[in-house]
Amino acid sequence: MAVFVALGAFLMTLAGGWTAQRVTDRRHLVLGLAGGLMLGVVGLDLLPEALRAAGEEIHGVPAALLLFVAGFLLAHLVERLLAVRQAAHGGEEHNGRTPEVGLTAAAAMVGHSAMDGVAIGAAFQVGGGMGTAVALAVIAHDFADGFNTYTITSLYGNARRRAQLMLFADALAPVVGAACTTFVTIPEAVLGGYLGLFGGALLYLAAAEILPEAHHEHPARSTVLCTIVGAAFIWLVVGVAE
């Protein structure tokens, strides 16, 4: 049942990526929307869940928040290291960005989607009602995941084919994750720590890369509005899921 439900997440992710591909003539609006979606996912979905699951404190600070900061710093470090490595080997950059960073970020999105599938499977192990509620929440926000995966990969100068492959991997990941729950159970504390780490990395991409690029050539009020709409959409999804 969990794998069957995860197929809905598969289709919703593809729909999000397809939408991102079809609005390339309004790239600044796409990036503004993607930034808002990512901000909403981090602040309204990932962090609250991480704090709930990994509730212990380390030297007076919740472990999830420490990992959140670590994820932010790790994303910054990885981007700088890849950029230096690319320059040292004479590689090409796309508007000052290295394609490997986009692929790395997209791979992190794929990993997150796999964990979504694990969450669906684990919820169905608890009960049918719990599984249905979690599945609806995952399916609803997987549209944003697909949208962001394609946008991030393309933003860093990767070819359209690469972006489509990463989108397909992101769509398939929840199905694989749900299937894995028939063999493996992930401790809640470990899952919470992962969500905090991933949330920090995602926020870095939104604040340091996606939104500045959105306003670089088109500092329009419509771009800001798209960012607000993206964050509000995630708020709506979270509210419905609760």
Side-chain angles (χ1 to χ4, degrees), residues 13-230:
T13 302
L14 291 181
W18 181 87
T19 301
Q21 293 180 61
R22 289 291 177 269
V23 289
T24 52
D25 58 329
R26 293 290 185 269
R27 185 169 175 270
H28 59 293
L29 298 180
V30 171
L31 293 174
L33 180 63
L37 290 171
M38 293 165 74
L39 175 61
V41 166
V42 172
L44 307 178
D45 186 17
L46 294 183
L47 266 185
E49 181 62 26
L51 288 169
R52 185 192 66 80
E56 66 177 86
E57 293 188 353
I58 300 177
H59 200 60
V61 178
L65 289 183
L66 288 174
L67 287 167
F68 173 78
V69 174
F72 189 97
L73 295 174
L74 180 63
H76 177 59
L77 179 63
V78 168
E79 183 191 34
R80 290 296 88 209
L81 287 177
L82 288 175
V84 170
R85 178 179 175 275
Q86 189 85 351
H89 288 79
E92 294 183 358
E93 291 190 350
H94 176 74
N95 292 332
R97 294 179 170 84
T98 56
E100 287 84 357
V101 174
L103 292 176
T104 301
M109 295 292 293
V110 173
H112 172 61
S113 294
M115 297 303 291
D116 280 346
V118 170
I120 292 175
F124 270 103
Q125 289 177 2
V126 174
M130 174 69 72
T132 301
V134 172
L136 288 175
V138 169
I139 290 172
H141 90 253
D142 270 355
F143 179 89
D145 283 353
F147 191 97
N148 290 335
T149 298
Y150 185 87
T151 301
I152 289 172
T153 310
S154 301
L155 176 65
Y156 282 85
N158 290 286
R160 182 186 178 108
R161 178 177 176 80
R162 279 189 177 182
Q164 290 174 336
L165 286 174
M166 294 307 298
L167 171 63
F168 182 78
D170 188 53
L172 189 62
V175 181
V176 175
C180 287
T181 57
T182 58
F183 310 103
V184 179
T185 300
I186 298 178
E188 188 177 33
V190 174
L191 180 61
Y194 159 78
L195 292 176
L197 186 71
F198 177 72
L202 200 61
L203 182 62
Y204 174 82
L205 291 172
E209 301 294 334
I210 301 293
L211 290 177
E213 180 68 16
H215 292 277
H216 179 61
E217 296 181 358
H218 298 275
R221 283 176 293 181
S222 56
T223 307
V224 176
L225 179 61
C226 283
T227 302
I228 296 172
V229 168

